[in-house]
Amino acid sequence: MAKKKQTNNNHAHNNGRKNSNGNGGAPRGRNISPTAQSIKVSIAATNDQTPTDPDAFKASTITTAVLNSFKIKEPHDAAAVAEATTVVQTVDSSAVRKDLTHIPFVTIDGITSRDFDDAVHAEPDTAADNVGGYLVNVAIADVAWYVRPGSALDDQALSRGFSVYPPDRAVHMLPNELSEQACSLKPNVDRYALVAHIRVNKDGDVLDSSYSRAIIRSRARLTYEGVDEFLAGELSGVPSVADTLIPPLHEVYEILNQNAMNRGKLKFSFGKMSSTIGADGFVNGFVKDDNREGSRELIEELMCLANCVVARDLLAHGQYPVMTRVHEEPAEDQVTKAKALLSAAGITKRHGEEWTLADINKMLDDPAYADKHDKIRSAAMKLINRGEYAINETGHFGLALKTYCHFTSPIRRYPDLQVHRALISAFNLGEGGMAKDVDLKSMFNQAAAINALDNQADAVYRIATDRYALAFLHKTGPVHQATLKDIKKDGALVLAFENTPLKLTVDKSFVPADDFRINMKKRQLVDDMGTVIGINDNVPVRILSCNPLTGTFSIAMDGYTYPKGGTLQPMAQKDRKQAPKNG
């Protein structure tokens, strides 16, 4: 069993950032995520672009159109599939492969999950020097055993970069023979895994770590919902075999969670809305999923622990390039914007004091700030940059960690596979590792390409979800309420459509200038009848046409007519609907 003694006491480090190899790495920059609006909005367009074929509004049709727009192929190349069929039969008979089937691992995933690439186990540490501490085992599917550098499978994985998850399906990075079979840690089946063994003390500090190339056997496939029920006292939520396995995992989570709070990890849920699709294939609506507590957070903390320790051990070893995950500190202008939002909400600090992520966490936990939580989250968002993959770089602002990488999902992320290869070679764990003379420049180029593919994977989900929202709005009628979320300096409005995740920036021509004036200081619309539409008030929106396959959307403020020339004209006062005034 390869072992690396830890000289640093804590897996939490300062949140500074440096480039440890002095090289620039992948192209860097803030806001690299695909933030361009995915819906093309026109105001009172006269040409109706709504499809006449009802199937155009089905979720599967919309998803296929989005995947095609990115040239993402769902079937894998024949060579990769043929190779997968062969490699799953290969057996590792070397002495390096340890039999760890005696360790009672479990997997914890969502009800609809198809692939299970991580399994976990924890038990109290019996060592006299670690009273109150734990031994944590994190087992990850040994994808590197099957996917060797330069193979057809490796070429396929690198070209895809990631599995892509639009709302209604999974487009795997690797063929199903691996992603849903040989590399899926199903219960009561022997599987190859790479295991991180981590000792933590009662404060969540890492004492030491080691790694094994192993055979494991998961005892149970648990779900987040079942584990949450178990933790709430409903013992029927999980199989009886797991009754004794969950409590130590939760105890470790509580230790790690407190450690995260102490170091200032940003710890709140941004929340998202997931679509529901009926048996007929049409979008039925959206459900808000902002519960990141309980078992979901338990798994996140265990994965974070493993990712942090693996990154630190590989960087300390220093012989192989490490594809790290970095998260830059906010720039001065971001901090200024966040302060302005907090100040507008009546939240200030004494002169000279700076806001920290720990301050944000405390306010979000404090009931006294409950009516300001949305504004506090908006301020925090101003501080957050998108994470990026880099080579040998350090610093993760959001997690308040010095070292971090992605180790825990090589079945769906190529960077994790590269980390596994580096770990295998660094700690002499057998075949399928990284060549010692690997070209550093090619690794930098690879990180840049991976970042672009990461952005693409996120964009597919975001665009498909927005277009699902168009289909749902079309299905549920021509007039909808949208919440006014912001008025920009150029007069453009940010509208969030009710009961959907759709938030759009629309041109100021949406507002009838003859009847409304914009009070920029108060960020309000005021009409000649004295009606005020302020931030978080409703605006009635009429849908004139929409095409979820192309993302085109024509709208108007309901209650107004648009002449042929396209200039907005008010209706007669007696016919006009008064815009609602909330509160």
Side-chain angles (χ1 to χ4, degrees), residues 94-114:
S94 70
V96 172
R97 182 77 61 180
K98 305 295 183 183
D99 185 349
L100 298 183
T101 55
H102 63 282
I103 297 179
F105 286 99
V106 294
T107 62
I108 307 177
D109 296 275
I111 289 176
T112 59
S113 296
R114 297 186 199 74

Side-chain angles (χ1 to χ4, degrees), residues 48 65 121 148 176 259 424 455 463 514 576:
D48 189 348
H121 167 262
R148 302 298 176 91
N176 288 352
N259 184 291
I424 289 165
N455 291 343
I463 292 171
D514 288 346
R576 187 172 55 181

